[in-house]
Amino acid sequence: MKMKSKVACFKGNNIKECTRKSIELLGGIGKFIKNGETVFIKPNLMAQFYSPYIVDADVIRVVVEQCYNAGAKKVYVGDNPMVDIESKEVLEYTGYKDYLEDAGAEIVLLDENRYVKVYSGNAKCFKEFSLPEKLIKSDKYINIAKMKTHVLTGVTLCMKNQQGLLQPDDKIICHDYRLSQKFVDMALFRKPNLCVVDAFHCLEGYGPMFGDLKKLNCVLASNDIISIDHCCSKMMGFDPLEIKTTRLGYEQGIGNIKYDYIGPRITESFKKPWFNIPKKLGNIRFYSQIPDKGSENILKLSLSLFIAYSETFKYEFNKLKDLAVVYGGLNSKIKAHTALLFGDMAIKSRNMVKAKHFIEFKGNPPAHWLKVIQQLAKTFNLNIIGFMASALEE
Amino acid sequence: MEYEKKQWEAWKKFTELSAKISKGEKVRNTKITMPFIPLIQSDFYEFNELFRDIVLTFFGEDASMLTILKGYKKSLFEEIQDGYVVSYKWYDTDNVNILKKELKGRVKLFKQVDKRLIQDLEKLYNIYCKNKNKKEFLTRSIILLLEAYSNGRLKIWPKNELIKFADRLKTSLNAGPELLANLQNYIVNINIIGENNKGVLVNTGSRFTVELERDTIIKMLEELTQAEDMKQISNKFFNFVLFGLKHNKFKVEPNFFTWPIVTWFVNTKVVNLEEKTRLATKMFANPLRILFIIEKKMLIIEIEDGAILNIKQVESNKEELEKIWLDISKNYGFIHLAVKAREDSFKYSKSLLGKLQLFVKPTKAYEFYPKNQFVNEIAKKNILDILLNLALPFISS
């Protein structure tokens, strides 16, 4: 019999207790995990920093312990972080590996493990992709997301969390206006059996990497990926159907937007992540006369760092020499001291730019956005490679 | 009742003696009685001196005060001119209306202490008599007074800057009970230097004595009164410490080896430290939970948006850093960074720093876990040294 969609939420001062209780309110882990099953847990571990950027180690640990309590044979934990960051950096160097192995989990460094090609029959744009073999072979799949805002998708919750299952090449495919549909296509292939959202310490503003801390002190659990995303985005002060992943997912039958909610009433207003690339920032001018959505998205992600911390650094963009950033096609001529051509479409318009120096970011779109940040920082005369280091030095 | 009687007599005697001294010998530092709470036992004489100094700062050198002992049918009126008690009078009533009528608008400041507050203080005092822990007594007394102020057992009116500060501190009680409970770890002896360079020593039983100019205390209180909550209070206090160190506003005795490092660091390296710490912690983990291990003592410091949110002393019977980190994480929640001061460098620095304080760079004085690359990066910039050195005096005291 099909289970009714339910979202449970527990608010408290102890993150471990919140995680345990939210699953208990949902009916207990025994409803999802049976004796002798193998479980694959996919937490959001996008970078080698900690909460509120990634899921708190204690939330994952409690879920691992619960799975074993329910009689699981093996519990795997794995994620493929952002492009340019190795799983090892996130899982080993942060201490997560030791901490979770102590609870009995087997850590899977996805970028070092086997992937299996899959075909999503009903998919609209993302039909063929690879998924970790450990996930395919596991009996159950648990998706643990972090409650955060995101400059491209508004929020990043369980639907967006699926991105971390992919290999770098698959990650950049459809990373444009089709991004939300891509996650729906993935969910059409395999939906999580249990979803958990760590909303203890959340991120607001220019997420997913450079926002501000927002404390909700709660953890949510659900049997429906659309229901939990709907519920969380509502808590965050968004119109849930404004979130494309939720709307498309609901429309295409991934899950329900009508569900039973068990827990306290929480309504917050998260600082919104939306921003448009400005036309001018100090002496930097931005151009995109023929839109290139993919490059615009990656530039937005990278630029959010500078926007978010420009005040903290009190960095004077005015001190820069005249710089033009082109992130789409051009249909009229422009002049600048230095021109930064962002993406293949901008590079094709090079003959429309008169400049002394050219910097090119190849790709459609340029995929390695951490490298983009580093290059931008170099161009803007900021040493972002040792980002914090430079901030600390002076 | 015996205790209260004793306190009352001691208070009366002390008041009369102080007034006599100030009238006869014109001793600048014993100018005003401050029968705030009955802490006039010889051990706590210094506390009254401190209260007196602080209160004078806020109430001015010319004041007239009425102290009412609610439930005792006793009150004391004092007139102060140029900081000296020129006259005082006892009244055998605790009825405010009668006293107001009697004194006809001469009272500038009213204080009312409830009998139950004195009884509670008696309980604390009895505990102190058994364990002789001055720091614990002082901390618990402060908390008790704040609570008393909150529930009306201690009333002061009309409101002034000092009271506004107490108000803010009172509202922060719920926000940081652990911080307050750990207050005693931070208590040091204070030597207040007045205008004639004469020191008034407030002995709290600490190993450390901080020498502070009276003006510096005033500046600190003024700063703290601007704070909205506990987070801001800790932030402002942190800034104050840095400012004081940078401008040689206070000295610490004994010349504990970390202080020269901190002073050196402040003078040479620290620019916008608060902003940098805020940014570092904001990008790394927010809140950030650091475990400091120094000579088998362990302390978790929780920093949110760069400001200290919480401090907790913890325990583990493990020896290796990695095992301690795992043990503490399991029992107290995940620790982002465990920092252990290396004992060899600890001793080495200790012996050298007296002579070579400006030449010894405080690097590699610790080991840390997990070996996060980000930590490696910030370790190169000595941020861990700053945090470690700031934590050392507290954990060692």
Side-chain angles (χ1 to χ4, degrees):
Chain A
M1 198 179 77
K2 207 184 163 194
M3 248 208 273
K4 204 178 170 195
S5 296
K6 265 188 196 175
V7 179
C9 171
F10 192 87
K11 193 174 164 74
N13 292 324
N14 183 313
I15 193 166
K16 286 183 178 175
E17 193 196 10
C18 287
T19 312
R20 263 192 299 270
K21 296 267 185 183
S22 67
I23 297 172
E24 265 173 36
L25 286 174
L26 202 63
I29 193 79
K31 272 199 164 186
F32 304 93
I33 311 295
K34 302 291 173 217
N35 202 18
E37 286 184 331
T38 50
V39 184
F40 186 90
I41 298 177
K42 197 279 169 199
N44 181 348
L45 302 173
M46 66 177 296
Q48 68 274 46
F49 303 136
Y50 296 95
S51 178
Y53 305 106
I54 64 172
V55 175
D56 199 296
D58 281 319
V59 173
I60 311 170
R61 190 181 165 108
V62 168
V63 177
V64 171
E65 286 168 349
Q66 294 251 307
C67 289
Y68 280 118
N69 289 346
K73 190 169 77 184
K74 194 84 203 160
V75 181
Y76 302 104
V77 177
D79 187 26
N80 215 341
M82 292 192 306
V83 179
D84 294 335
I85 298 178
E86 292 174 19
S87 297
K88 193 186 263 182
E89 286 178 65
V90 179
L91 277 153
E92 285 188 8
Y93 300 161
T94 52
Y96 271 50
K97 184 171 183 277
D98 292 347
Y99 194 53
L100 298 172
E101 278 179 351
D102 181 70
E106 185 178 318
I107 300 301
V108 188
L109 301 176
L110 291 186
D111 46 11
E112 293 177 14
N113 268 261
R114 275 173 61 88
Y115 265 71
V116 179
K117 202 100 185 148
V118 298
Y119 181 78
S120 181
N122 297 323
K124 290 195 174 174
C125 70
F126 199 50
K127 285 185 188 294
E128 276 186 45
F129 50 94
S130 300
L131 285 177
E133 189 183 55
K134 283 276 187 326
L135 166 69
I136 302 287
K137 288 188 173 172
S138 290
D139 300 309
K140 295 287 162 66
Y141 156 40
I142 300 176
N143 178 324
I144 310 181
K146 186 79 183 170
M147 186 183 273
K148 298 194 288 182
T149 48
H150 194 289
V151 290
L152 299 183
T153 52
V155 298
T156 163
L157 296 160
C158 290
M159 283 292 275
K160 177 77 178 66
N161 187 30
Q162 297 176 100
Q163 173 86 337
L165 289 171
L166 301 173
Q167 289 176 307
D169 288 348
D170 280 343
K171 279 188 181 192
I172 56 167
I173 296 174
C174 305
H175 208 281
D176 46 28
Y177 63 93
R178 297 166 295 178
L179 190 60
S180 301
Q181 182 58 48
K182 176 182 175 178
F183 301 129
V184 176
D185 291 346
M186 286 180 76
L188 278 168
F189 179 81
R190 180 149 191 188
K191 280 191 285 189
N193 303 85
L194 172 66
C195 293
V196 176
V197 173
D198 169 10
F200 205 79
H201 294 133
C202 316
L203 195 76
E204 63 175 1
Y206 300 130
M209 275 301 286
F210 314 114
D212 298 308
L213 174 70
K214 180 93 177 173
K215 288 160 122 177
L216 291 200
N217 293 337
C218 64
V219 175
L220 296 99
S222 177
N223 55 357
D224 186 319
I225 189 168
I226 297 298
S227 302
I228 197 166
D229 275 17
H230 184 278
C231 180
C232 288
S233 48
K234 202 171 163 187
M235 271 184 186
M236 295 164 84
F238 287 83
D239 170 359
L241 294 181
E242 192 188 352
I243 307 302
K244 254 175 108 179
T245 46
T246 309
R247 195 183 70 234
L248 294 176
Y250 164 64
E251 285 167 0
Q252 292 167 45
I254 300 295
N256 294 312
I257 56 168
K258 282 188 180 158
Y259 46 85
D260 289 342
Y261 176 74
I262 313 150
R265 195 188 159 125
I266 301 170
T267 318
E268 287 286 339
S269 181
F270 277 51
K271 270 187 245 162
K272 299 292 180 285
W274 318 116
F275 78 99
N276 289 321
I277 294 175
K279 288 196 171 161
K280 206 167 183 292
L281 190 66
N283 279 346
I284 312 169
R285 286 171 288 136
F286 295 88
Y287 296 93
S288 175
Q289 291 160 353
I290 305 164
D292 171 3
K293 193 72 183 167
S295 297
E296 185 186 324
N297 279 351
I298 301 293
L299 183 65
K300 232 183 210 185
L301 275 172
S302 315
L303 209 60
S304 62
L305 180 146
F306 299 100
I307 306 265
Y309 290 125
S310 59
E311 269 188 29
T312 311
F313 284 124
K314 292 182 178 62
Y315 181 70
E316 296 170 27
F317 285 101
N318 287 329
K319 282 184 184 168
L320 283 172
K321 283 189 176 169
D322 179 36
L323 172 73
V325 179
V326 184
Y327 60 99
L330 291 174
N331 48 27
S332 62
K333 290 198 172 179
I334 61 164
K335 262 189 198 176
H337 178 272
T338 306
L340 196 150
L341 306 176
F342 198 79
D344 290 346
M345 197 189 271
I347 293 169
K348 276 183 193 164
S349 299
R350 184 175 168 142
N351 59 347
M352 305 293 275
V353 185
K354 195 178 173 187
K356 271 191 177 179
H357 306 284
F358 283 92
I359 300 160
E360 291 184 355
F361 287 91
K362 288 179 185 159
N364 184 26
H368 304 269
W369 69 288
L370 273 186
K371 282 190 181 153
V372 169
I373 289 177
Q374 289 168 6
Q375 184 61 50
L376 281 176
K378 210 173 151 191
T379 313
F380 296 166
N381 204 16
L382 267 181
N383 174 19
I384 293 284
I385 302 166
F387 180 72
M388 270 320 304
S390 64
L392 289 166
E393 196 160 28
E394 184 63 69
Chain B
M1 203 59 205
E2 194 52 38
Y3 170 83
E4 289 157 18
K5 202 178 163 189
K6 211 168 121 189
Q7 287 294 321
W8 173 252
E9 288 305 320
W11 179 32
K12 223 166 121 177
K13 203 171 154 189
F14 173 80
T15 312
E16 283 167 5
L17 185 69
S18 301
K20 210 166 147 186
I21 290 170
S22 37
K23 264 179 156 178
E25 297 171 24
K26 304 276 180 193
V27 181
R28 188 96 184 141
N29 279 332
T30 48
K31 51 200 162 190
I32 175 175
T33 50
M34 187 52 217
F36 220 100
I37 43 171
L39 294 177
I40 313 148
Q41 298 287 98
S42 57
D43 279 352
F44 298 106
Y45 185 88
E46 305 92 335
F47 294 145
N48 273 55
E49 294 275 357
L50 176 67
F51 278 128
R52 228 178 293 158
D53 238 31
I54 294 169
V55 168
L56 253 188
T57 305
F58 284 94
F59 300 147
E61 305 261 308
D62 292 313
S64 51
M65 290 189 236
L66 180 71
T67 306
I68 306 148
L69 272 187
K70 194 79 185 160
Y72 286 100
K73 294 192 173 172
K74 299 277 179 195
S75 299
L76 171 70
F77 173 72
E78 299 159 281
E79 262 189 302
I80 300 120
Q81 278 175 16
D82 296 329
Y84 301 100
V85 180
V86 290
S87 69
Y88 65 92
K89 193 176 176 186
W90 301 104
Y91 290 92
D92 287 329
T93 177
D94 55 8
N95 186 314
V96 184
N97 291 333
I98 294 172
L99 287 162
K100 271 185 178 173
K101 208 173 166 184
E102 182 86 19
L103 291 160
K104 287 174 189 154
R106 285 160 64 203
V107 183
K108 244 181 161 179
L109 181 81
F110 293 84
K111 291 170 283 167
Q112 186 176 294
V113 186
D114 194 282
K115 193 174 177 176
R116 285 168 296 177
L117 171 61
I118 296 178
Q119 284 166 346
D120 287 343
L121 278 164
E122 182 195 353
K123 284 177 199 158
L124 287 186
Y125 183 75
N126 286 340
I127 296 170
Y128 165 75
C129 289
K130 281 177 196 156
N131 67 15
K132 292 288 173 195
N133 187 339
K134 269 189 180 182
K135 287 167 82 177
E136 184 193 288
F137 180 77
L138 182 61
T139 313
R140 293 177 72 171
S141 302
I142 291 169
I143 294 171
L144 181 64
L145 285 172
L146 281 170
E147 280 169 354
Y149 181 66
S150 171
N151 61 30
R153 288 181 186 177
L154 173 66
K155 286 181 186 171
I156 300 169
W157 71 96
K159 281 195 177 186
N160 55 53
E161 287 305 307
L162 188 68
I163 305 307
K164 281 179 198 164
F165 175 59
D167 264 344
R168 294 210 168 109
L169 208 58
K170 180 191 74 186
T171 52
S172 307
L173 266 176
N174 293 334
E178 282 186 341
L179 199 67
L180 278 174
N182 278 292
L183 203 63
Q184 53 178 305
N185 290 328
Y186 294 84
I187 289 176
V188 290
N189 305 323
I190 303 171
N191 194 14
I192 304 165
I193 306 296
E195 285 164 18
N196 55 0
N197 282 334
K198 190 172 181 267
V200 177
L201 180 73
V202 181
N203 183 3
T204 58
S206 169
R207 269 174 65 196
F208 299 101
T209 302
V210 178
E211 199 174 281
L212 281 163
E213 285 171 17
R214 186 186 142 112
D215 291 349
T216 312
I217 298 180
I218 297 166
K219 190 175 161 43
M220 182 179 82
L221 282 170
E222 278 171 357
E223 277 282 309
L224 293 180
T225 52
Q226 307 299 320
E228 296 282 334
D229 52 26
M230 193 51 104
K231 209 161 127 184
Q232 274 193 26
I233 289 171
S234 71
N235 232 343
K236 282 182 182 291
F237 184 73
F238 188 55
N239 280 346
F240 167 77
V241 171
L242 288 176
F243 175 84
L245 282 168
K246 193 165 181 169
H247 296 94
N248 289 326
K249 284 285 177 193
F250 56 79
K251 295 172 192 163
V252 180
E253 289 293 338
N255 198 4
F256 191 57
F257 85 95
T258 52
W259 286 102
I261 299 174
V262 176
T263 314
W264 163 77
F265 199 91
V266 169
N267 288 333
T268 57
K269 287 267 178 187
V270 179
V271 182
N272 291 335
L273 181 69
E274 187 200 336
E275 199 167 81
K276 287 168 182 175
T277 319
R278 188 175 75 84
L279 193 65
T281 53
K282 198 176 159 185
M283 284 203 66
F284 185 50
N286 198 8
L288 169 68
R289 288 159 56 79
I290 306 182
L291 170 71
F292 285 106
I293 306 154
I294 300 156
E295 289 185 329
K296 297 194 175 169
K297 286 185 183 172
M298 296 172 202
L299 195 76
I300 296 174
I301 298 188
E302 200 171 343
I303 301 169
E304 187 179 302
D305 286 334
I308 293 173
L309 181 72
N310 230 326
I311 293 153
K312 191 188 273 179
Q313 197 132 4
V314 292
E315 281 177 9
S316 169
N317 54 14
K318 305 284 185 232
E319 291 290 326
E320 289 165 49
L321 177 62
E322 196 178 324
K323 287 188 177 148
I324 296 171
W325 166 81
L326 187 60
D327 190 38
I328 298 288
S329 289
K330 276 158 71 175
N331 294 325
Y332 299 92
F334 189 72
I335 297 293
H336 300 115
L337 184 62
V339 184
K340 186 180 180 185
R342 286 205 175 109
E343 276 184 36
D344 49 348
S345 60
F346 191 74
K347 282 170 192 160
Y348 178 73
S349 308
K350 214 170 188 169
S351 59
L352 268 182
L353 270 163
K355 292 166 192 167
L356 297 171
Q357 49 180 275
L358 294 175
F359 302 101
V360 178
K361 212 177 169 189
T363 49
K364 293 178 183 169
Y366 52 81
E367 52 181 318
F368 57 86
Y369 192 86
K371 303 276 182 198
N372 192 308
Q373 279 186 329
F374 186 80
V375 177
N376 270 323
E377 196 62 41
I378 59 170
K380 284 183 204 159
K381 301 295 169 190
N382 292 341
I383 187 77
L384 285 181
D385 299 291
I386 312 174
L387 291 170
L388 183 66
N389 286 320
L390 286 175
L392 264 173
F394 303 131
I395 205 165
S396 309
S397 62

